[in-house]
Amino acid sequence: MAANQPDPSSTRVSLSQSDTAILEALIPGYTFISRIFLSYLHIDLAAYLQYFIALALFGISMRYVSEYLTQFFETYLISTAEMRLDDEIFNYFMYWWSRQPHTKRTNRFLAGVRTNGYWSDDEDSDREELDSEDDEWEGVDSSTSAESFDDYWTRVINRDKYKKLRFTPAQGRHYFWYQGRLLMLDRRYEQTTARWVLNNEKLYLSCLGRDPSILHKLLADAQQKFVERDGGRTIIYRGQRCSSGSTFSWSRCMSRPPRPLDTVILDDTQKQGFLADIENYLERGTAAWYAEHGIPYRRGYLLSGPPGTGKSSLCFAVAGKLGLKIYLLNLSSRALDEDNLYSLFSELPRRCILLVEDVDTSEITHSRGPSMFPQAANTKDDNSPPKPGEKSSPNDTSKRNSAEKGEQPGITLSSLLNVLDGVAASEGRILVMTTNHPEKLDDALLRAGRVDMQIEFRLAISEDIEKLYKSIYSVSKEERTRRLENGSRPPSQNGTAKHAKGPKDDGKLKNRETEEHKPNGVHGRRHELQIRIASLAEDFASLVPSGEFSPAEIQGYLLKHKGHPERAIREVAEWVKEEKEKKRAKKEAEAKAKETKHKSES
């Protein structure tokens, strides 16, 4: 009876030619594969075809079901925060992530040595370098011979050969714990057809549950850590675009330690007046007062004077004292058009300084000359050639040249005036413009409401020269005297010493302070040094002509003798003679060039 039952393995299902052709079309090589299985393994694939089809249908259905469940789970059961590369929150989180302990244990990370990328921290590198130099200086004893420059430079070069490694999460998903909650970071690079588009990277921070409060806490913590890293440093942004096809935006370019206001060589009345006016503008209730009286809440300043007189330095010092961020704008950029200009001004935060350096170098700000009918004068086509006997303005010439070359003409004076003081102009910002030639600027740019205060910088007079000499030598001498004879390290940025001190150290410190306040102690010798430097400053100022050199020129000379104040006095007369001769020769060359140009035009 058992012998009469068929063997399943030997059962062969015959398919019609049409069925075989369909299977061959759906599964290329089916006929060849089925013959191999049947010839060598005695297995007829046609007998199990229905199982294969059911398995394939099950796999396809499970794929769609899993995608639906995943989408449902991520939509209703997971909270996600998206961070884009062109936003500062991206830098906040990447900085926070690089400081976490779990980043050292991850097996997938992006390594780099760039010092100007979004993941790096060039400010930390500067601080580490300064700290190492401080440690090296503290190791030098006054009784030992000074280290030669060759030995010092060899050590510095060998240290600079090794760049600091930077580690950030690699592309993909990363899981970590934060305040007892499991979080996921997904780093993605969006595909784009543009070759030079850089804003194609995004971060997705997710947590389980519909409550995103843990994500808010983490991002707030990341921002706090990033701001604490800056401390009291002055942050500087620049209006630029990342690629040729992108729009302009404010990009953080650097942060620098604040400059003391007393190091800016300027009349104290003007300096304090400038600072007091800004403080009055930022005072509480001023914005409401402006709104109550229907006055736009804006303030503008023009700093004018010869090159090297400290115009930009004053702006930087005031920004550091008040804790304001500086936003740099270059009006001469041909890539900057009206739309990008409006976009940059609309992105300016309240209570910041917008610095436009050398505004006279941009041709759009030049004076258009007197005109009884400005509307009729403005109706002239920008690209039309001048009439016979009519001189073309620099703006017209520049626009025609740009149009002939097919270049982007940039912004116009009208767009600049509207963005500064138009109906849609931003409020709350402080505009500071610097110029070496205020007479070249258009009157419309200098009217009240756009420029509320003008400060004229001068060449250094005797009083300024004395201050500059003291600032160069007194500070450095005091600092070196304190380091060599006191032997103590300056406090760190948080106001505490780098190394903890025990009871014995406290006793030594008290004895050291007692010795320092003796007449022959460090403070006594420092006082004598200050008196000596003040006397030398008077001698130096008497040898430099008043009102002939800029503070930058005098500072450049003093820096050549930064360790030798007496030598600076001995050689200053020869330097003054040489500089006067250079200026005289330059003026003669300029006069000769103007005469030659006038003859060629006539």
Side-chain angles (χ1 to χ4, degrees), residues 267-285:
D267 181 68
D268 291 337
T269 303
Q270 291 180 309
K271 190 190 308 183
Q272 296 302 326
F274 177 65
L275 177 62
D277 191 81
I278 294 181
E279 290 178 344
N280 182 46
Y281 173 76
L282 299 175
E283 191 177 6
R284 185 177 63 177

Side-chain angles (χ1 to χ4, degrees), residues 285-559:
T286 304
W289 186 91
Y290 271 71
E292 181 181 353
H293 291 77
I295 304 175
Y297 185 55
R298 292 184 287 267
R299 202 69 178 164
Y301 303 91
L302 178 67
L303 310 182
S304 61
T309 51
K311 299 181 290 296
S312 300
S313 301
L314 177 62
C315 179
F316 183 79
V318 170
K321 181 176 180 59
L322 300 179
L324 298 174
K325 297 179 180 179
I326 297 179
Y327 289 78
L328 300 178
L329 180 62
N330 180 19
L331 297 178
S332 301
S333 175
R334 290 292 181 184
L336 181 63
D337 55 11
E338 295 185 14
D339 293 337
N340 284 314
L341 183 64
Y342 278 96
S343 176
L344 287 176
F345 271 76
S346 63
E347 295 176 2
L348 284 174
R350 296 176 68 90
R351 292 178 291 277
C352 71
I353 292 181
L354 174 63
L355 177 60
V356 183
E357 294 185 293
D358 298 326
V359 66
D360 57 280
T361 59
S362 178
E363 295 179 350
I364 64 169
T365 62
H366 289 181
S367 175
R368 295 167 290 183
S371 176
M372 296 179 61
F373 305 99
Q375 294 181 354
N378 292 335
T379 57
K380 185 186 71 172
D381 186 7
D382 291 337
N383 295 327
S384 61
K387 297 179 180 180
E390 177 185 358
K391 292 185 178 180
S392 60
S393 65
N395 287 336
D396 297 336
T397 304
S398 176
K399 290 178 181 178
R400 286 198 306 273
N401 294 338
S402 300
E404 293 173 359
K405 297 179 181 179
E407 297 179 356
Q408 188 174 353
I411 61 177
T412 61
L413 177 61
S414 175
S415 61
L416 177 61
L417 298 179
N418 289 331
V419 79
L420 291 180
D421 194 30
V423 177
S426 59
E427 296 188 356
R429 52 66 180 163
I430 300 173
L431 173 66
V432 178
M433 297 184 293
T434 66
T435 177
N436 298 332
H437 303 281
E439 69 279 359
K440 292 184 178 181
L441 301 180
D442 194 273
D443 293 337
L445 184 64
L446 303 179
R447 75 158 175 82
R450 296 184 179 123
V451 175
D452 303 289
M453 176 183 290
Q454 297 188 26
I455 299 179
E456 184 177 356
F457 286 67
R458 66 194 179 194
L459 296 176
I461 60 176
S462 298
E463 181 182 355
D464 301 332
I465 298 173
E466 287 188 28
K467 292 181 180 179
L468 189 57
Y469 187 92
K470 293 177 182 178
S471 66
I472 292 294
Y473 294 108
S474 297
V475 175
S476 60
K477 283 290 186 179
E478 286 182 17
E479 185 68 15
R480 294 193 177 188
T481 302
R482 184 181 61 80
R483 290 188 181 184
L484 286 177
E485 300 184 342
N486 189 17
S488 62
R489 180 181 178 85
S492 59
Q493 292 186 353
N494 56 5
T496 58
K498 188 174 182 180
H499 304 287
K501 297 182 181 294
K504 295 182 179 180
D505 296 330
D506 292 339
K508 294 180 180 179
L509 182 60
K510 292 180 180 179
N511 294 334
R512 182 184 301 162
E513 292 176 352
T514 303
E515 293 294 332
E516 288 177 357
H517 287 84
K518 291 182 177 180
N520 58 348
V522 175
H523 290 284
R525 288 191 291 272
R526 186 180 304 170
H527 180 67
E528 296 177 359
L529 178 61
Q530 291 177 349
I531 296 177
R532 175 61 176 163
I533 292 297
S535 176
L536 293 177
E538 294 179 1
D539 297 340
F540 181 80
S542 64
L543 297 175
V544 179
S546 177
E548 292 192 19
F549 298 97
S550 67
E553 292 175 319
I554 299 175
Q555 179 177 285
Y557 168 77
L558 293 176
L559 289 178

Side-chain angles (χ1 to χ4, degrees), residues 123-138 159 233 257 483 489-490 493 498:
E123 290 86 2
D124 282 353
S125 302
D126 296 340
R127 293 173 188 171
E128 292 171 2
E129 183 177 355
L130 291 176
D131 290 342
S132 63
E133 291 180 357
D134 290 343
D135 294 337
E136 293 171 0
W137 178 258
E138 288 179 1
R159 182 186 61 196
R233 299 167 73 92
R483 290 188 181 184
R489 180 181 178 85
Q493 292 186 353
K498 188 174 182 180

Side-chain angles (χ1 to χ4, degrees), residues 540-594:
F540 181 80
S542 64
L543 297 175
V544 179
S546 177
E548 292 192 19
F549 298 97
S550 67
E553 292 175 319
I554 299 175
Q555 179 177 285
Y557 168 77
L558 293 176
L559 289 178
K560 297 179 181 179
H561 308 278
K562 59 180 181 296
H564 307 280
E566 293 85 0
R567 183 193 301 174
I569 296 178
R570 292 195 304 266
E571 299 180 1
V572 68
E574 183 65 24
W575 174 80
V576 170
K577 182 179 178 181
E578 293 177 357
E579 291 298 319
K580 285 185 176 182
E581 182 64 25
K582 291 180 181 179
K583 291 184 178 183
R584 186 188 62 80
K586 183 178 179 181
K587 288 183 179 180
E588 291 180 354
E590 292 177 353
K592 186 176 181 180
K594 288 182 179 180

